Amino acid sequence: MNNKKKIFLSVLPATVAATIISMSTGSMAADSDPIKVGVMLPFSGVYAGLGESTRNGLKQAIKEQGNNIAGRPVEFIEMDTEAKPARAPEITSSLVDNQQADFVIGPVHSGVAMGMIKSIKGKDSIMIIPNAGANAATGAFCQPNVFRTSFSSWQTAFPMGKEAYDMGYKKIVTMSWNYGFGKESLEAFNESFTKAGGEVIKEMLVPFPKTEFQSYLTEIASINPDAVFVFFAGGGAVKFVKDYDAMGLKGKIPLLGSGFLTEGTTTAQGPAAEEVITTLHYADALDIPKNKHFRQDYETLYGKPADLFAVQGYDAGQLIAQAVTATQGNTSDKAALIEQMEQLEIDSPRGAFHFSKSHNPIQTIYLRKVVDGQNTVVKVAHENLEDPARGCRL
């Protein structure tokens, strides 16, 4: 693919005419100018499906507002990141400096996120991260104009440490790809597991994106720990779970993981995924009214089931809608807009959440088990879990 930017512009007209309200010149409430929402997601390449789901959820939330917030139409400016970190500064600058976007939504990939954060620092646009989970995004690199509606890698793994110990597992082997998110996940698990009294007797780091796991699984069998905790996602997660079963470890050594081990992968994993236990901030079968309504509406709109990435995009859209409504349509005063965002509670399909001082969700993490091919909620693993935001100065 060439390096030309892909820009897709869509202006969503209001379903009803905007009412002209007489306000002071500075307030700009009910301004007829569109609210500009830049969308930086992967629409091609290996992460294209995640980008599509995120965009679908985002647009669903805005559609629920009649494609109009506080009397102003919403304009989406979509740019394909191709999940390439090197493209982040160029695309971010285009949206912020040239297009003058009020909000920039993205990305999926943590490497792209870090490039975006550096480029948006001190700018007059607000970045909302709908997926990328690098701890530093709302930690050491936190910014006043950066929010996240997804998770930190720490949040998805930390609760499993105590849960594992409470299930009676005292000696555990951990394993992940040798890259940022994977290592952060193992560190978070280790933090809570050892605090509870457990011992990580072996940590295995696999070169990314290697999916030849047999030698590692042979070593695990020889160690015979009480359980195994891993971080893998996507195709790697499919391969690992199937290999774990094929090597005869399933049923002998319980398999635990960060939720991405079985998120969107259970169909491909088949029976090998049954009984795998994970922690995450969402499950498709979460039994709350908001989730049921969201999933019904999503399938009606897009003809396929919603997933975690759609939820996170949807909540980014809800955040925009609530904040702009609270400022009566005024997006020119970014400090006031940020102040409103900091105070909001989002009624999410995952359960309600609000933001920490570092602008990361304070949210419930669920203990999940795969039953009949679906991640079912066993219990709440940690209610209102706040990321420690290490290094953040906000």
Side-chain angles (χ1 to χ4, degrees), residues 366-384:
Y366 303 98
L367 185 71
R368 317 181 312 169
K369 179 187 284 188
V370 178
V371 178
D372 295 330
Q374 187 174 45
N375 289 298
T376 61
V377 175
V378 177
K379 58 178 283 195
V380 169
H382 201 300
E383 190 171 9
N384 294 326

Side-chain angles (χ1 to χ4, degrees), residues 6 36 89 107 118-119 122 166 175 185 220 226 257 259 288 322:
K6 287 187 174 181
K36 291 188 176 183
K118 292 175 184 177
S119 300
D166 289 347
M175 183 176 174
S185 298
I220 288 172
D226 295 335
I288 57 176
Q322 289 182 227

